[in-house]
């Protein structure tokens, strides 16, 4: 399953998926690839980076057994170099 977190950020996207699927999700926040500049701007503005729009990003959900393979494929592309397993 792929989703675009442009509106509402990662948290909103995952909440929508969880609600539609009837499941809960747990994130490993320390694994999120938030750049220092974005983290600093969010802190300064009082925003939660989990709810900030993420233009040009995607959320991919797959079975745990395929996560490393998917991650490696995403990281093989220059735009996916910061891809991470976060949950």
């Amino acid at each position: 399953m792929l989703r675009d977190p442009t509106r509402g950020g990662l948290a909103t996207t995952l909440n929508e998926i969880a609600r539609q699927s009837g499941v809960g999700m747990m994130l490993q926040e320390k694994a999120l690839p938030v750049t220092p500049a974005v983290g600093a701007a969010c802190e300064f503005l009082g925003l939660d980076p989990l709810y900030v729009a993420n233009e040009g990003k995607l959320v991919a959900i797959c079975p745990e057994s395929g996560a490393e393979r998917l991650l490696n494929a995403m990281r093989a592309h220059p735009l996916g170099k910061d891809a991470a397993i976060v949950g």
Side-chain angles (χ1 to χ4, degrees):
M1 170 186 300
L2 298 175
R3 289 286 177 100
D4 174 1
T6 298
R7 292 190 177 152
L10 178 63
T12 298
T13 301
L14 294 178
N15 280 324
E16 289 173 358
I17 293 168
R19 188 172 38 254
Q20 292 168 352
S21 303
V23 299
M25 295 186 190
M26 291 180 59
L27 288 179
Q28 300 166 354
E29 289 191 55
K30 291 183 181 195
L32 293 168
V34 177
T35 64
V38 169
C42 285
E43 186 174 333
F44 177 76
L45 296 170
L47 300 173
D48 183 340
L50 289 172
Y51 287 94
V52 173
N54 284 281
E55 187 71 34
K57 304 292 190 274
L58 70 86
V59 175
I61 297 176
C62 69
E64 186 176 357
S65 61
E68 286 296 327
R69 187 169 147 208
L70 176 58
L71 181 64
N72 290 333
M74 292 173 75
R75 286 182 174 167
H77 190 282
L79 295 177
K81 65 180 176 50
D82 294 327
I85 296 174
V86 299

